[in-house]
Structure formats: structure tokens, C-alpha cells
């Protein structure tokens, strides 16, 4: 599934997360800004100071002007960089952007509006304000479609994987009932534990839609400390092995019981249906091992940090965001950041002003060495 931009993708993401469907969106880039400014200059012969512009990040505009050697600056620019931060709950106000452009035009400060938001463009047109929606180039569209096609093929391959569910301290009758409910098969593993074999696409859809949460929780309640491990793999043996590893983690979880999942890339997620965390158990990269030794940080935590960077798409982040992701104190997050700064793995990217009253927060971004571990 491909979206026309970051805005529709962001608002559809919550629903998409409930289904094992690959999705992508057309990226906003400097090429869109350059083509749009060229069109405005050619068709309307306007100065940049006569145009109001909204776009996700001002750096796209600054980059185009700098590379083109244009000294003239754009006076009226409105950004919405938070749109890329999927950890932040914030609504995009169409009216706010329409008002921004309309007020400037009505006050005769501008003669034209360039917007990156189609709903804003529609309203500006209704008001009779000269405006234009950012130009999307054919090469960018083709690249986006190729990416979506590749993602769909990969997703289809993943959905056909074997899924194994392993149970410990669970009554056989409960396991059979679970297998019957998803039309799956029960077998015994080499270790003597009961396994339910199914298809990843089927099981993942049920998990994402919370269809199994009540069933598993009821099973854990009935059987006491029941541990459940789910494994994905390209073969039955691989899926079984991963389910047993996941069950070991579930077994070590304090409390009455838990459910963990390990996929074909050895990424562990759990406890499912609770405060889920996801991190990699695969630490074969010698550079990761070397860095963890230099930082005096476990390979697991370093892998989790690298996954955090991937989640935020290597954008600048604050210690507050890192603390939330790791479920640790702000002070602990700052200590982790200091270690990475001392090794020049991170660099200071600037500051952000909190929406509430308070001091500005420092922002950090990955250095080239960390980006190389993607």
C-alpha cells in the first residue's frame, strides 16, 4: 500500500498497525520544492518574498536556495516538522495553515501561496487565493511505486512463513481448543512441549487486532504461570526453534505468565498485549560487539538503541524520547547519551522548546558510524 505523502500515512498508521500489510509513502524532497519554485517564477514572475510557503521542514527550502546560489530569502514560511515524529500525538490543523496563507494574502504581504497540503490548497482555491500545490515529479512517483512493489513482494513472502506457538504449563485441552480456533495443527516438539503450527499471516493478523489477547490471558489465568512463545521462520524447524527461545523469555518474566514472539530476523517482541518492547537478539555484527565493549553497554541494549534510531528514522531525538522508549529515568537516558557522545557516536543536533513552559531540550542525532549499522 502506498500513500501520496507523510500526512495521510501518519493518520492511517494506527489502523495499518493492526494488519500485516506493507505500506510506504512518497517522500517529500528538495526536488518538489525546486520544481514548484521554478513553476511559480516561470508562470507568475514573482519574487520569493511575495510567496507564502508551508512544508514539513524548512531545511528542504534552505537546501534548494543554497545549492542554486539564490541569495534572496523567503520571508513567510510555516513548517510542521513534528509530522515525522510518530511518537508524538498531535493533530494537523488544516484551518491553521489556511489562515496563515489567507491572512498574508489579504494583508497584501504576499501575492501567491505554495502549499504541501492538498486540503489547504483546496480551501485556498475556494477562497480565490492564487495558490499552487507542490509539484510531484514523475521520477519520484516511479521510485515510490517501485519501493511499494518491492515491499509488497517482501510482505507476501513474510506472510507465507511458518508460525509456531509453544506452550509451557498449559493443559492439553486448552492447547487443542486454541489450535481449533485458528484451524491449526498440534504437534509435539523435540523437547516434549506442545506446539501449534500455523501461518504467519493468519497469526499476525489475529495478534495485531488483539484477537488473541483475551484467549491467551484466559489461558494464563486458568493454568497459573503459563508461558507462551511464538516463533516465525521460513521452515518448521526454524519457527519451532524461535518459539522455544521466545518461550524461555516468557518463562523468565516475573508474574503469572507472559507471551513473547521471536521473528525470522531474531527480533524479540514482548510481553505481548502488555507494555511491549522490541529488540534484536542477533548480535553477530563484530562492530556492534566492539562498540558495546567500548561503551561498557550490553549488546542487547546497544541493539535496542540501534532499533530506536530505526524507529525514528534516524531523526534528531531528545533524552526524554529515549527515556520513554527504554522505560528508564531521564537521568539514565542522559547517561547513555553521554557515553555515546564521548565516543563520537552521537552529535548535538540543536535544541527544541517544549510546548509547555520549561528550558529548551537538547537534540541529538546519530553520527556516521552508527548510521553505518543500519
Amino acid at each position: 500500500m502506498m500513500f501520496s505523502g507523510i500526512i495521510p500515512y501518519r493518520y492511517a498508521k494506527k489502523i495499518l498497525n493492526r494488519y500485516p500489510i506493507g505500506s510506504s509513502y512518497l517522500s517529500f524532497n528538495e526536488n518538489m520544492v525546486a520544481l514548484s519554485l521554478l513553476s511559480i517564477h516561470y508562470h507568475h514572475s514573482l519574487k520569493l518574498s511575495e510567496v507564502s510557503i508551508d512544508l514539513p521542514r524548512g531545511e528542504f527550502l534552505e537546501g534548494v536556495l543554497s545549492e542554486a546560489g539564490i541569495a534572496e530569502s523567503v520571508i513567510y514560511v510555516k513548517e510542521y516538522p513534528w509530522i515525522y515524529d510518530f511518537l508524538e500525538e498531535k493533530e494537523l490543523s488544516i484551518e491553521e495553515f489556511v489562515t496563515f496563507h489567507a491572512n498574508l494574502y489579504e494583508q497584501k504581504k504576499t501575492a501567491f501561496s505554495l502549499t504541501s497540503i492538498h486540503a489547504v490548497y483546496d480551501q485556498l482555491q475556494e477562497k480565490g487565493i492564487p495558490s499552487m500545490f507542490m509539484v510531484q515529479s514523475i521520477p519520484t512517483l516511479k521510485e515510490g511505486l517501485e519501493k511499494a512493489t518491492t515491499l509488497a513482494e517482501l510482505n507476501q513472502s513474510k506472510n507465507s512463513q511458518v508460525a509456531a506457538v509453544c506452550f509451557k504449563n498449559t493443559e492439553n485441552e486448552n492447547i487443542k481448543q486454541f489450535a481449533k480456533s485458528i484451524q491449526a495443527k498440534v504437534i509435539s516438539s523435540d523437547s516434549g512441549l506442545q506446539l501449534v503450527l500455523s501461518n504467519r499471516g493468519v497469526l499476525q493478523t489475529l495478534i495485531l487486532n488483539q484477537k488473541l489477547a483475551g484467549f491467551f490471558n484466559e489461558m494464563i489465568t486458568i493454568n497459573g504461570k503459563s508461558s507462551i512463545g511464538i516463533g516465525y521462520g521460513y521452515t518448521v524447524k526454524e519457527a519451532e526453534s524461535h518459539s522455544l527461545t521466545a518461550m524461555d523469555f516468557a518463562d523468565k518474566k516475573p508474574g503469572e505468565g507472559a507471551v513473547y514472539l521471536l521473528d525470522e530476523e531474531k527480533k524479540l517482541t514482548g510481553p505481548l498485549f502488555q507494555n511491549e518492547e522490541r529488540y534484536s537478539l542477533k548480535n553477530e555484527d563484530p562492530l556492534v560487539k566492539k562498540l558495546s565493549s567500548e561503551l561498557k553497554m550490553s549488546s542487547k541494549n546497544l541493539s535496542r538503541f540501534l532499533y530506536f534510531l530505526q524507529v525514528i528514522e534516524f531523526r534528531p531525538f531528545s533524552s526524554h524520547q529515549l527515556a520513554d522508549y527504554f522505560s528508564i529515568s531521564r537521568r539514565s537516558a542522559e547517561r547513555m547519551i553521554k557515553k555515546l557522545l564521548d565516543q563520537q557516536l552521537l552529535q548535538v543536533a540543536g535544541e527544541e522548546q517544549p510546548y509547555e513552559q520549561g528550558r529548551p531540550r537538547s537534540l541529538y542525532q546519530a553520527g556516521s558510524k552508527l548510521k553505518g549499522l543500519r
Side-chain angles (χ1 to χ4, degrees):
M1 186 179 295
M2 187 181 75
F3 292 84
S4 61
I6 180 65
I7 296 175
Y9 176 77
R10 178 188 169 103
Y11 288 100
K13 196 170 187 300
K14 285 184 179 179
I15 298 173
L16 289 172
N17 286 340
R18 290 157 45 193
Y19 302 94
I21 301 173
S23 57
S24 62
Y25 58 89
L26 291 176
S27 300
F28 190 94
N29 54 43
E30 287 88 347
N31 193 33
M32 291 177 65
V33 179
L35 287 173
S36 301
L37 293 180
L38 177 62
S39 177
I40 291 171
H41 176 75
Y42 183 81
H43 293 291
H44 305 281
S45 302
L46 294 171
K47 296 179 181 179
L48 292 176
S49 57
E50 298 176 282
V51 180
S52 59
I53 301 176
D54 70 59
L55 71 175
R57 286 193 182 126
E59 62 196 51
F60 290 117
L61 175 60
E62 293 162 8
V64 169
L65 298 180
S66 174
E67 290 178 27
I70 298 173
E72 185 183 357
S73 60
V74 181
I75 302 173
Y76 306 109
V77 180
K78 189 172 179 63
E79 304 173 63
Y80 48 103
W82 55 266
I83 197 74
Y84 292 102
D85 187 357
F86 293 98
L87 301 176
E88 182 179 351
E89 292 290 337
K90 186 176 179 181
E91 294 295 321
L92 184 75
S93 170
I94 301 301
E95 188 58 39
E96 181 183 331
F97 284 84
V98 172
T99 301
F100 163 74
H101 291 290
N103 285 349
L104 290 168
Y105 179 75
E106 289 164 4
Q107 294 165 16
K108 301 191 184 304
K109 292 181 179 179
T110 59
F112 198 88
S113 301
L114 176 62
T115 178
S116 58
I117 307 170
H118 208 285
V120 173
Y121 169 71
D122 289 340
Q123 291 197 32
L124 292 175
Q125 288 289 293
E126 287 178 12
K127 291 176 180 289
I129 296 173
S131 54
M132 174 180 161
F133 182 61
M134 290 267 184
V135 176
Q136 184 66 271
S137 69
I138 299 300
T140 300
L141 181 59
K142 285 183 177 178
E143 184 181 328
L145 288 170
E146 287 170 1
K147 179 182 176 182
T149 302
T150 302
L151 194 61
E153 291 172 350
L154 177 63
N155 195 62
Q156 186 176 14
S157 172
K158 281 191 172 184
N159 284 341
S160 64
Q161 288 178 13
V162 180
V165 187
C166 182
F167 299 86
K168 186 175 182 181
N169 301 326
T170 307
E171 294 292 334
N172 285 343
E173 196 56 42
N174 295 136
I175 298 173
K176 288 178 183 177
Q177 184 183 348
F178 166 69
K180 185 178 179 181
S181 69
I182 63 170
Q183 299 183 320
K185 181 180 180 182
V186 181
I187 66 169
S188 294
S189 71
D190 293 340
S191 60
L193 296 170
Q194 295 289 83
L195 280 177
V196 172
L197 292 182
S198 182
N199 173 279
R200 174 174 178 162
V202 171
L203 200 64
Q204 192 162 300
T205 300
L206 293 171
I207 290 172
L208 292 173
N209 284 283
Q210 300 288 310
K211 298 292 186 183
L212 296 182
F215 191 91
F216 282 152
N217 288 335
E218 182 182 351
M219 191 179 290
I220 288 169
T221 302
I222 292 172
N223 295 283
K225 185 174 169 44
S226 180
S227 303
I228 302 170
I230 302 172
Y232 296 149
Y234 289 100
T235 65
V236 172
K237 196 67 181 173
E238 184 181 38
E240 178 183 341
S241 173
H242 290 170
S243 70
L244 290 169
T245 302
M247 193 203 62
D248 285 340
F249 277 87
D251 203 33
K252 293 170 186 173
K253 179 74 177 174
E256 295 183 349
V259 185
Y260 274 75
L261 184 155
L262 186 66
D263 67 16
E264 80 290 353
E265 295 178 350
K266 293 193 180 295
K267 287 189 173 126
L268 183 73
T269 305
L272 295 185
F273 318 119
Q274 298 178 36
N275 297 319
E276 292 182 12
E277 289 191 71
R278 189 167 185 247
Y279 50 93
S280 178
L281 301 183
K282 193 174 182 179
N283 295 314
E284 297 173 358
D285 192 327
L287 186 52
V288 171
K289 292 182 178 179
K290 182 174 181 293
L291 287 177
S292 66
S293 176
E294 291 172 354
L295 293 165
K296 293 183 172 55
M297 181 189 297
S298 70
S299 293
K300 184 183 83 171
N301 277 345
L302 181 55
S303 294
R304 288 182 67 195
F305 177 73
L306 291 172
Y307 187 74
F308 165 74
L309 292 178
Q310 291 171 12
V311 167
I312 64 171
E313 297 182 340
F314 283 78
R315 296 188 300 274
F317 65 92
S318 66
S319 59
H320 181 76
Q321 285 176 278
L322 186 64
D324 283 348
Y325 182 81
F326 272 84
S327 299
I328 56 178
S329 69
R330 177 89 173 270
R331 190 177 293 276
S332 296
E334 287 171 349
R335 282 199 295 268
M336 184 185 296
I337 288 170
K338 185 178 184 305
K339 283 183 181 180
L340 294 161
L341 284 170
D342 290 344
Q343 294 290 332
Q344 298 182 333
L345 297 171
L346 289 180
Q347 57 193 36
V348 178
E351 291 183 336
E352 67 173 358
Q353 178 65 48
Y355 295 112
E356 67 278 3
Q357 294 294 326
R359 296 173 58 189
R361 298 171 181 162
S362 294
L363 294 176
Y364 309 92
Q365 64 184 19
S368 57
K369 190 183 288 188
L370 281 183
K371 287 181 179 178
L373 293 174
R374 285 198 230 198

